[in-house]
Amino acid sequence: PDPSRGRAALVAFNDASGTVYPQDIALLMDGDGIAVRAGKHCAQPLHQALGASFGSARASCGLYTTKADIDRFVKSLRANLELL
């Protein structure tokens, strides 16, 4: 792939309202069999600059990640954000 296209194998994210703890998202998604990391990921200054005092959740992809895996992730994230 062309490296200038800005591809990445991970994404860090937060709830847009800023009221959902990333750790809660990680716990609920774990119940769906999906592992995400939650916290400040050794990037406290970045989280502070972004106003993300709770940190963020982070999902990573690997060579083995399929489109179906990503679809399951999105479905689980949407459903669990509705619960919170």
Side-chain angles (χ1 to χ4, degrees):
D2 179 359
S4 68
R5 294 191 59 193
R7 296 176 183 219
L10 64 91
V11 62
F13 57 93
N14 279 335
D15 162 59
S17 73
T19 61
V20 175
Y21 288 97
Q23 293 81 359
D24 293 341
I25 290 293
L27 180 67
L28 291 170
M29 292 185 77
D30 182 57
D32 293 335
I34 298 170
V36 298
R37 293 191 175 267
K40 295 193 178 170
H41 319 291
C42 298
Q44 293 89 340
L46 174 62
H47 285 93
Q48 183 178 3
L50 295 173
S53 60
F54 301 151
S56 61
R58 185 179 74 200
S60 302
C61 295
L63 295 173
Y64 50 82
T65 304
T66 65
K67 182 180 180 308
D69 293 332
I70 295 169
D71 291 342
R72 277 186 52 237
F73 165 81
V74 171
K75 181 179 178 181
S76 173
L77 179 60
R78 285 182 175 157
N80 288 308
L81 283 174
E82 287 181 19
L83 290 176
L84 297 172

